Amino acid sequence: MIGPRNRPASSFTEGEARYILIDPTLREAGWNLEDRTQVGFEIPVDGYDAAPWNGVTDYCIYAPGGEVLAVVEAKRCSRNPREADEQLRYYVTEIAKRQSYAPFGFMTNGLQTWFWEVGQANPRVVAGFFAPQDLQRLLFLRQNARPLPSMAINTGIVDRPYQHEAIRRVAESFAANKRRALLVMATGTGKTRTTMALIDLFLRANQAQNVLFLADRDALVDQALTDGFKAHLPNEPRDRIYTWKVDTQKRLFVATEQTLSLCFQKFNPGFFDLIIFDEAHRSIFRRFTEVIEYFDARMIGLTATPANFIDRDTFRVFQCEGATPTFLYEYQQAVKEGFLVDFSLYQARTGFQRKGIKGADLTEEDRNALIEQGLDPDAIDYAGTEIEIEVSNKDTLRRQWEEIMEVCLKDQSGQLPGKTIVFAMTKAHAHRIAEVFEEMYPQHVGVAQVITSTTERVRDGSYGDGLITKFKRNDLPRIAVSVDMLDTGVDIPEAVNLIFMKPVQSRIKLWQMIGRGTRNHQACPFFDRLPEGCKTEFKIIDFWQNDFDKQTDDRAPSEVPVLVSIFNTRLKILAGLLPDHDSLPFKQTVSDLRTMLDRIPQDSFPVRKVWTEIEQTWLDGFWTHITPVKIDFLRLKVGPLLRFAADVDVAAETFTHKVERLKLQMQSGSPAPQLLQSIAEDVSLLPEIEQLVERFASAKLALSNALATAEPGQLTRLIADLAPLMKNRRNRPSAFLNIDLPDFIETRGYISVGEGGQQIHVEEYRRRVEARILQIVETHPALAAIREGRELSDELLVDLERTLHRELGDSDLQLSPKLIHIAFGLKTDNFLGFLRHVLTLDAIPDYPQVVQRAFEQHVAAHRYNADQIRFLRAVQELFLKQRHLVEADLYEPPLTQFGRNAVDRYFSPAEVRDILDLTERLAA
């Protein structure tokens, strides 16, 4: 965007901006500037008189019938287009008086363009002018739109109350002129159906015609096209977008984010009315910003990620203030309401997993077995966490399979596992798992199947159903061994076993995987594959001590794009060379940086938005005298734009970055041996390296000790000669070791008790708890009352809860809701409910029921008004959470939601004392 005679765009006159920048973008949008029935120039607003103040529009864009469809107000590049607000408002208002509708408005300086529906919404930045058919479609929608909140929801698509609420929340948000929304819904709660019902609502309300569904996986896109559009909107023309096939005549579109990022500019910025992002978490915004900013559509994000783990950028992009999504329906709530099922957790580890494989600890027999394989036992030293990463032990897999087949949930016959997903680390690991299963269970033909991205016929095709569909629909296979293919986006309602044979660090990823088992019985069409013909839970069998109660996510730092990293490293080199502007290394670094500038796509929308601020760096004058301030400017304002560069050869650029880092290290001191070794190894793995050494002195340098003392010019030549060849580099030799030593399950369902983490087997722990319960049964008056058929008073029940808390929770047993869940497979937050389960005594209520009953009796005994009752309900909820209450709690959050010192407004001191007496009697 440097103009004639190397002039910056900021120096363009309005006429030059129109000729060089604005006219070409109008043509690119599909407007014929030579056809005066399409575009008129310098048209007086009243149609004939150019004299009134600012009474001439720069461009008038006409509809086929001759009325003005849009007005374009142009400014020179150095001016803010928004300075034309009042001018454009006047034009639109005056033109609207002379025709049947108000035209649309554009304000532009050639670099930044604003679109404005005057009187309807605030102006907004857009990536470019809209095409003729898009403006005509927008006019139709504006003239025929019906209010979203008043439209009936199609109950044939969604019938659950929370789905209706989600749709209403989005409708109300858009009715309030918001253009983006975020739905957080647990996996299995029907995000696809909710999305289809939303799209149906938009179509029937004439608020959208062109709709795009985006996801990051083929499976999610295929599911949206078939289970979504085809099933619920069968009469709407639909298509999948490919880089080689874009049919703009359809109305409903699906695409992967990866595909759209390569072909989004085949669409006009105004083409889509509504875009749905499936699994809208932070990763898409790191790689997808340009596409999101390009389209001027209303956008809805969908995610199953728990709300407290959603990145703040996601909330920002979807215009959710205060980290609050437009609608939230989480897993725990769905389980409580019966729309999803809960899981039971079984964790086990083998001896090698716990202690590692160390030659010094092996028996003489095992050491001799290694010697027979040509291995030195004393050189074998692997940590347990390195199993299946650096070493694989076949017997470890055997012991794991034995455990799985023993404890997994079986089908209705009790003979075969129910539908089971095994999460493996790598493709090679997946095949080892399946091969060991086939060796151990030859009678189970076709029961286990590896499903990875390189497995043939994974997806449906001309040959029929693919492997994923067969696993979902057919009786066999029962067990799918997967690597990243079944973690998310695949709906297999009958899945009752999830086997974790890999560690998962990300809680977001962990919950996506857990979501494969959460569908309830009503979602299952094949009852014979379920335990006793019914799905009430699913089981997680974990061999890697994953933390399923993890409350924080170990987020890896965001990875800086390689071109940005190279640019920043070269800036550091430049800073280190200051103030010597005349040295060859300085001039070479400047040349390298300026060459990188040419890779920034100047026509990209995010670049054009900031062009007037950064364009100086493309001019010779900027580089005449480099200062630390200019280096900071390049690092903060220009370098980040390299993330939009296309056609990045990652192998070449990664090698380039290594060599540039070497330059920097040599400039500041001695280079790191690891970096020198890495560069030499990269070069040594190039094909025909002997010929390359003869051909390039730089190749010989890289493989010698002289690399540690190389001159900057030699390193620049090394990049030029060898970086382009790095894409042909051979893989590094694998040191992965396969062995077969006896292993055993060392911790089978063990749990940690107390601060010291004492390991107790689940069965032993259960025995201790049940023995303690029997002691309480023999002595507590509440149990005596039950045996004698007497009515239980609330006082006795509260005392029983206290006793259980003291004898089970505060004792050596340290019984907690988490340990109850692990040892007894029960989810409860109170000991009365636990006792009812263990003794199968329906006469014992839950402790929260006792508390609720006491509060209800307290309210009934007083003549409280509605505000007082509402406050007491909040007190009851707080009490149940804390199990006790002091007077200070009445003045703290969450009770401050009623206002500061609300308790003093609602209650007299005597009434406050009564409330505290009540909670003291109930405290357990």
Side-chain angles (χ1 to χ4, degrees), residues 343 345 347 503-507 510-511 514 542 544-552 554 818:
F343 62 87
L345 175 63
Q347 293 183 302
V504 183
Q505 304 303 328
S506 165
R507 187 174 188 264
L510 192 66
W511 274 98
I514 290 172
D542 175 36
W544 279 93
Q545 296 295 292
N546 287 296
D547 187 355
F548 293 89
D549 292 320
K550 193 173 186 179
Q551 294 304 309
T552 57
D554 302 327
K818 179 179 179 180

Side-chain angles (χ1 to χ4, degrees), residues 780-782 785 790-801:
H780 199 280
R790 290 185 283 113
E791 185 176 347
L792 276 174
S793 68
D794 285 350
E795 289 77 10
L796 276 179
L797 289 167
V798 170
D799 186 70
L800 179 58
E801 176 77 13

Side-chain angles (χ1 to χ4, degrees), residues 777-791:
V777 167
E778 292 298 322
T779 59
H780 199 280
L783 279 306
I786 293 175
R787 286 195 298 272
E788 296 166 9
R790 290 185 283 113
E791 185 176 347

Side-chain angles (χ1 to χ4, degrees), residues 637-881:
K637 297 291 186 178
V638 181
L641 298 175
L642 280 161
R643 70 188 188 276
F644 300 120
D647 302 324
V648 177
D649 183 339
V650 175
E653 304 301 352
T654 300
F655 180 77
T656 299
H657 189 218
K658 287 181 183 180
V659 179
E660 293 293 344
R661 283 165 49 210
L662 180 60
K663 285 185 188 178
L664 181 63
Q665 290 182 7
M666 295 175 72
Q667 179 179 289
S668 56
S670 59
Q674 299 91 333
L675 182 57
L676 291 167
Q677 182 180 345
S678 179
I679 293 171
E681 184 181 24
D682 284 345
V683 174
S684 70
L685 292 171
L686 288 172
E688 302 177 346
I689 183 60
E690 297 83 2
Q691 290 88 331
L692 289 176
V693 168
E694 293 178 7
R695 180 181 171 191
F696 296 117
S698 57
K700 183 176 181 179
L701 172 71
L703 297 174
S704 70
N705 292 332
L707 181 63
T709 56
E711 295 294 325
Q714 292 177 294
L715 296 179
T716 298
R717 172 50 53 190
L718 175 62
I719 293 172
D721 290 343
L722 301 185
L725 306 177
M726 284 297 153
K727 59 178 174 290
N728 303 317
R729 186 188 64 198
R730 299 187 302 272
N731 292 327
R732 289 176 173 82
S734 173
F736 191 90
L737 181 63
N738 286 284
I739 56 178
D740 190 0
L741 298 172
D743 201 359
F744 64 98
I745 297 292
E746 183 168 299
T747 59
R748 177 186 287 107
Y750 277 69
I751 56 177
S752 297
V753 178
E755 292 183 5
Q758 179 190 1
Q759 293 285 310
I760 303 176
H761 191 278
V762 166
E763 293 302 322
E764 171 62 17
Y765 186 72
R766 283 179 61 127
R767 189 193 64 74
R768 293 185 191 181
V769 171
E770 289 168 353
R772 189 72 54 85
I773 288 173
L774 289 176
Q775 294 175 10
I776 297 169
V777 167
E778 292 298 322
T779 59
H780 199 280
L783 279 306
I786 293 175
R787 286 195 298 272
E788 296 166 9
R790 290 185 283 113
E791 185 176 347
L792 276 174
S793 68
D794 285 350
E795 289 77 10
L796 276 179
L797 289 167
V798 170
D799 186 70
L800 179 58
E801 176 77 13
R802 287 195 193 109
T803 302
L804 291 166
H805 195 284
R806 182 178 63 252
E807 296 296 327
L808 301 178
D810 293 339
S811 67
D812 58 316
L813 294 173
Q814 297 285 296
L815 189 64
S816 64
K818 179 179 179 180
L819 293 186
I820 289 173
H821 187 207
I822 294 173
F824 292 85
L826 175 70
K827 282 208 168 181
T828 182
D829 59 356
N830 68 98
F831 287 108
L832 286 179
F834 170 61
L835 190 66
R836 183 179 67 249
H837 170 79
V838 172
L839 300 180
T840 62
L841 285 175
D842 293 338
I844 301 176
D846 282 314
Y847 174 65
Q849 290 178 269
V850 177
V851 172
Q852 181 179 348
R853 191 159 56 215
F855 268 83
E856 288 173 351
Q857 291 169 355
H858 179 82
V859 170
H862 296 74
R863 306 184 80 175
Y864 290 134
N865 62 35
D867 286 338
Q868 290 173 310
I869 292 171
R870 192 161 60 94
F871 187 89
L872 280 173
R873 285 177 180 163
V875 171
Q876 175 186 322
E877 187 175 336
L878 177 62
F879 172 78
L880 281 172
K881 183 178 180 180

